[in-house]
Amino acid sequence: MGTRKKVHTFVRVKPTDDFAHEMIKYGDDNKSIDIHLKKDTRRGVVNNQQTDWSFKLDGVLHNASQDLVYETVAKDVVAQALDGYNGTIMCYGQTGAGKTYTMTGTTENYKHRGILPRALQQVFRMIEERPTHAITVRVSYLEIYNESLFDLLSTLPYVGPSVTPMTIVENPQGVFIKGLSVHLTSQEEDAFSLLFEGETNRIIASHTMNKNSSRSHCIFTIYVEAHSRTLSDEKYITSKINLVDLAGSERLGKSGSEGRVLKEATYINKSLSFLEQAIIALGDQKREHIPFRQCKLTHALKDSLGGNCNMVLLTNIYGEAAQLEETLSSLRFASRMKLVTTEPAINEKYDAERMVKNLEKELALLKQELAIHDSLANRTLVNYDPMDEIQIAEINSQVRRYLEGTLDEIDIINLRQIQEVFNQFRVVLRPSTPPPKPVAFEDFKNERGSEINRIFKENKSILNERRKRASETTQRINAIKREMDVTKEALNFQKSLREKQGEYENKGLMIIDEEEFLLILKLKDLKKQYRTEYQDLRDLRAEIQYCQHLVDQCRHRLLTEFDIWYNESFFIPEDLQVALKPGGSIRPGMVPVSRIMSLGEDAQDKFSQLQQVLLPEGPDSVAFYNAKVKTEQKHNYLKTMMGLQQAHRK
Ligand code: ADP
Ligand code: MG
């Protein structure tokens, strides 16, 4: 576990009487295969740049029996599957090179049975050898033809035809094919029946659906789940053995195929090259994205390729010279796969139900243990169960008495009781968590602080009103000033005209014409207006300054009172709060409510009343009215302040 492994690659050469001894040579260790092409025999088959190739593999199987092939290729993978490692064995190669013979073998001759039946046999044999484990075996048989999924075991009476097409689904447990029937098999014979059923369907389908079985990928999967018979062991393992008979790898597309054949060829070529891409990407530790979803084959095998699996690629080749081009291409594929590394890991899972049962058992045991300790320590019967309301109330009362001083100490009984004592300390000492200040401030303004707040708001609105008036007055003054300038200019013009025409005097008085006279009167009037407005503005400014001061004082008062109220309400113990309440014995820093009430006269009302009464008397009354309001405000302010100071002194 955790160690990186290469994809194991083997080559199996199909027996032939016409073996190309001149061109195909094996290394002494049987782990390499050399291909040599004689220049004159190539004739465009292969370009003339290279005539020799050497492929390093994990083993070359020449004239090897089915038995030996299984021993070499599959035995370890299957054995490790029972320990929780996923395994995938794939046969790759051109049509007729022996993939199906290797995978399935002949169903007529036991001796020639292939990897599939042998794997099933090994699984059941190993189960027998492991009485300590309850191991279940399930199988499924999937065919992928032209990117469509077919269940080769759907003909079984209890399966029934599927209504919806099969889909590949991924979940945290792995990849599974929705709609593919998975069959529980309790013995070898059942498993063989399923295998034969699938093989028969494969052949029948090739006739009835007019599909060439060498053009499809077939995946026979053995699912193993092993639970320890020792009940205390809540871990269990799952694994899958995928035995894959791939579609013929020959490049059909080249030779001018059309129609169905071209379609098949395209799908096969694509899926095989996607398979290669996916496996290579898996071997690249820097790669984060593996293109599994490019085709059904790689998607269906997503959790069984590379990664944490044992992977074997068996390349089937012909030994004849005529097939050398495809043989070379197959060997190239094999040698590329050989470079890919995987990291086999156990698929370990936890049986939640068993885990709970085991924990319960352990808990009971520990309680017994505690009881023994208690009796040895001469302690009276101690209860370790969670506390009920009455017990909690009792602790609460103990804590209160302890705080009052009527109880000297609280006896320690057990951990749970200590925790509850602490908890009750918290409950008693912190009756409730104070509300956030902004929230409390809103409450305060509506209740205890409503009077101060009202005065504050009124002063603010008066201030705003004065500011608005000051701005209007300023605008008026500017307008008067502009008109004065224009009038002055006109007057100067008249004057210069008079001087040109020659002025004359009458009895020592300057004689001027009517127009000039009117202009002089207008200017005089404007100057008077200007002065009045200017005086108003100065008064307003003084008033604004005063109001501003008042507003600031009110705000400060409001916040101070709020702080006192907040502390009183949320941090001063209840009994002390009683003493602080109106009529109570103590009043630290509080404004007596009655005094605040004396400010109850609504300044805003007075303001509007005065406006009603005085304004009709003309603009001259404004100054009067202003002075009146100012006095009223000052009076109110002083009254408030005195009240507050008196309250403090008390
Ligand atoms: P593929 O599945 O690669 O298209 P097959 O497995 O169907 O090829 O093989 C084609 C034929 O060759 C079959 O009749 C098969 O029995 C036979 N054959 C293939 N390999 C061997 C072998 N190693 N020994 C004997 N017969 C073989
Ligand atoms: Mg085949």
Side-chain angles (χ1 to χ4, degrees):
M1 209 169 114
T3 50
R4 290 185 72 79
K5 262 194 189 176
K6 295 238 183 269
V7 171
H8 281 144
T9 52
F10 298 94
V11 166
R12 187 182 197 184
V13 190
K14 187 179 166 182
T16 171
D17 296 335
D18 192 19
F19 185 75
H21 290 284
E22 299 277 286
M23 300 173 183
I24 306 173
K25 290 207 166 30
Y26 309 123
D28 292 336
D29 56 357
N30 248 342
K31 286 189 174 178
S32 64
I33 184 163
D34 296 336
I35 305 289
H36 172 74
L37 280 183
K38 277 190 248 157
K39 281 208 170 189
D40 45 340
T41 54
R42 287 187 336 270
R43 236 177 264 122
V45 175
V46 180
N47 71 50
N48 23 353
Q49 277 163 359
Q50 198 177 353
T51 54
D52 289 280
W53 292 264
S54 185
F55 299 97
K56 295 257 178 294
L57 305 146
D58 291 293
V60 178
L61 296 153
H62 183 66
N63 284 333
S65 66
Q66 293 284 68
D67 209 23
L68 180 64
V69 169
Y70 186 78
E71 289 282 317
T72 317
V73 168
K75 200 180 169 195
D76 285 350
V77 176
V78 174
Q80 289 209 28
L82 267 89
D83 292 328
Y85 296 95
N86 284 350
T88 299
I89 302 170
M90 290 193 283
C91 281
Y92 179 94
Q94 78 183 104
T95 298
K99 296 184 296 296
T100 306
Y101 181 81
T102 302
M103 236 354 136
T104 311
T106 54
T107 41
E108 308 84 46
N109 189 331
Y110 182 72
K111 205 179 155 216
H112 295 155
R113 73 197 185 285
I115 292 172
L116 291 189
R118 284 168 200 266
L120 288 168
Q121 283 176 308
Q122 189 187 341
V123 167
F124 283 106
R125 210 179 312 122
M126 286 182 75
I127 290 173
E128 269 172 37
E129 287 165 7
R130 285 187 198 194
T132 50
H133 285 74
I135 304 173
T136 55
V137 178
R138 290 178 172 81
V139 301
S140 69
Y141 208 171
L142 174 74
E143 184 178 33
I144 304 171
Y145 177 71
N146 287 357
E147 285 301 278
S148 294
L149 306 170
F150 297 91
D151 185 352
L152 288 174
L153 298 177
S154 67
T155 48
L156 288 160
Y158 54 90
V159 177
S162 86
V163 212
T164 47
M166 285 190 273
T167 46
I168 301 168
V169 181
E170 287 179 47
N171 68 14
Q173 276 78 51
V175 177
F176 73 100
I177 290 128
K178 209 173 138 189
L180 178 69
S181 62
V182 180
H183 306 261
L184 185 69
T185 53
S186 52
Q187 51 188 348
E188 215 174 283
E189 200 189 310
D190 296 347
F192 284 166
S193 307
L194 292 166
L195 171 60
F196 296 147
E197 176 80 18
E199 290 307 320
T200 313
N201 285 335
R202 210 168 142 183
I203 295 156
I204 293 171
S206 68
H207 297 302
T208 55
M209 293 176 70
N210 192 25
K211 68 183 186 198
N212 185 339
S213 72
S214 69
R215 301 275 169 268
S216 67
H217 309 293
C218 290
I219 307 172
F220 187 85
T221 309
I222 307 172
Y223 308 81
V224 179
E225 193 174 306
H227 290 258
S228 164
R229 289 200 197 272
T230 326
L231 277 172
S232 63
D233 196 355
E234 60 251 358
K235 272 186 277 181
Y236 70 97
I237 54 136
T238 61
S239 60
K240 280 194 243 186
I241 308 166
N242 288 291
L243 303 167
V244 190
D245 185 352
L246 292 167
S249 61
E250 58 276 10
R251 276 158 299 171
L252 295 152
K254 269 197 201 164
S255 51
S257 339
E258 38 181 78
R260 185 175 69 101
V261 178
L262 180 66
K263 192 178 167 193
E264 285 173 351
T266 318
Y267 280 130
I268 295 162
N269 291 347
K270 270 192 186 155
S271 62
L272 289 175
S273 83
F274 287 148
L275 175 69
E276 182 178 348
Q277 280 175 27
I279 295 171
I280 287 171
L282 277 165
D284 183 352
Q285 281 173 288
K286 279 170 273 166
R287 276 286 287 265
E288 275 175 18
H289 175 72
I290 313 293
F292 284 117
R293 286 155 165 271
Q294 281 173 322
C295 67
K296 296 281 193 300
L297 177 69
T298 51
H299 198 188
L301 290 173
K302 184 178 172 182
D303 57 3
S304 307
L305 288 178
N308 65 349
C309 305
N310 283 310
M311 239 184 97
V312 174
L313 179 81
L314 191 141
T315 305
N316 291 94
I317 59 167
Y318 280 98
E320 283 99 347
Q323 306 294 338
L324 220 56
E325 191 196 356
E326 285 300 335
T327 296
L328 261 174
S329 145
S330 293
L331 289 171
R332 283 196 196 104
F333 181 83
S335 61
R336 287 196 294 272
M337 286 306 101
K338 194 183 164 358
L339 299 175
V340 176
T341 51
T342 66
E343 202 168 330
I346 295 178
N347 297 299
E348 216 166 40
K349 285 165 190 167
Y350 284 86
D351 186 328
E353 216 171 292
R354 267 198 202 185
M355 207 145 94
V356 169
K357 273 199 190 118
N358 290 334
L359 287 172
E360 276 173 353
K361 244 195 246 169
E362 201 174 313
L363 201 70
L365 203 78
L366 285 171
K367 277 186 180 174
Q368 280 173 12
E369 188 91 10
L370 263 175
I372 292 169
H373 276 273
D374 284 343
S375 70
L376 288 177
N378 228 355
R379 288 208 283 169
T380 42
L381 207 63
V382 179
N383 185 7
Y384 294 98
D385 292 332
M387 293 191 179
D388 58 25
E389 274 173 41
I390 297 166
Q391 286 167 313
I392 291 171
E394 170 59 22
I395 289 177
N396 179 284
S397 137
Q398 278 181 340
V399 166
R400 280 176 191 280
R401 278 181 285 145
Y402 179 82
L403 285 170
E404 281 162 22
T406 52
L407 185 70
D408 283 341
E409 47 190 41
I410 298 170
D411 285 335
I412 288 173
I413 298 166
N414 61 30
L415 203 64
R416 228 193 263 278
Q417 176 252 358
I418 294 172
Q419 281 171 345
E420 193 53 53
V421 168
F422 277 118
N423 191 35
Q424 289 308 317
F425 265 108
R426 190 162 52 196
V427 169
V428 172
L429 292 176
R430 208 179 67 193
S432 63
T433 45
K437 276 202 165 184
V439 177
F441 189 54
E442 287 310 309
D443 289 343
F444 173 76
K445 282 193 291 188
N446 291 325
E447 291 159 32
R448 273 282 260 291
S450 64
E451 276 309 315
I452 306 174
N453 188 44
R454 194 177 58 76
I455 295 164
F456 169 65
K457 267 160 62 183
E458 275 166 11
N459 282 327
K460 230 163 65 173
S461 82
I462 293 168
L463 175 64
N464 287 338
E465 199 278 335
R466 291 297 183 278
R467 280 197 179 129
K468 198 175 146 226
R469 266 172 49 188
S471 135
E472 283 162 1
T473 308
T474 310
Q475 276 173 26
R476 271 201 306 280
I477 289 172
N478 286 335
I480 294 167
K481 181 84 179 54
R482 278 196 300 275
E483 216 182 325
M484 277 166 70
D485 289 345
V486 172
T487 315
K488 265 184 199 157
E489 221 173 286
L491 206 61
N492 284 340
F493 178 70
Q494 287 292 328
K495 212 173 159 186
S496 67
L497 219 70
R498 174 160 50 83
E499 276 162 0
K500 269 193 216 143
Q501 286 166 355
E503 41 191 44
Y504 53 97
E505 285 177 19
N506 186 10
K507 291 177 191 166
L509 281 172
M510 190 74 74
I511 302 298
I512 51 170
D513 64 19
E514 171 113 8
E515 211 172 344
E516 197 177 342
F517 180 66
L518 285 175
L519 282 169
I520 291 167
L521 280 184
K522 190 182 175 189
L523 191 61
K524 211 176 149 193
D525 192 48
L526 282 168
K527 275 181 183 162
K528 198 179 149 208
Q529 268 185 56
Y530 184 86
R531 272 196 299 274
T532 318
E533 293 283 359
Y534 198 73
Q535 185 55 44
D536 279 354
L537 187 63
R538 266 171 52 183
D539 290 347
L540 272 170
R541 279 182 182 157
E543 202 179 346
I544 286 167
Q545 209 181 4
Y546 177 74
C547 275
Q548 182 67 61
H549 181 68
L550 212 60
V551 165
D552 290 344
Q553 295 253 11
C554 268
R555 183 188 290 115
H556 177 73
R557 194 72 229 167
L558 189 66
L559 292 173
T560 319
E561 290 301 331
F562 166 69
D563 272 339
I564 293 166
W565 172 82
Y566 187 80
N567 286 325
E568 259 186 27
S569 307
F570 303 109
F571 296 105
I572 297 171
E574 250 169 290
D575 41 355
L576 222 76
Q577 280 184 44
V578 174
L580 287 165
K581 280 212 169 102
S585 48
I586 321 167
R587 288 197 59 81
M590 278 304 299
V591 192
V593 176
S594 55
R595 275 168 217 266
I596 295 176
M597 286 312 218
S598 72
L599 299 174
E601 276 198 328
D602 195 328
Q604 186 70 48
D605 277 355
K606 277 197 167 177
F607 181 101
S608 15
Q609 275 166 25
L610 277 166
Q611 269 185 326
Q612 298 287 315
V613 175
L614 298 171
L615 282 179
E617 294 180 60
D620 285 350
S621 65
V622 171
F624 171 79
Y625 149 76
N626 279 344
K628 179 95 178 142
V629 171
K630 253 185 245 175
T631 318
E632 292 275 346
Q633 278 177 348
K634 198 168 172 176
H635 184 71
N636 273 351
Y637 175 70
L638 289 175
K639 241 163 80 180
T640 313
M641 287 301 157
M642 261 169 64
L644 294 174
Q645 274 161 13
Q646 272 173 12
H648 270 296
R649 260 182 248 119
K650 264 195 187 174

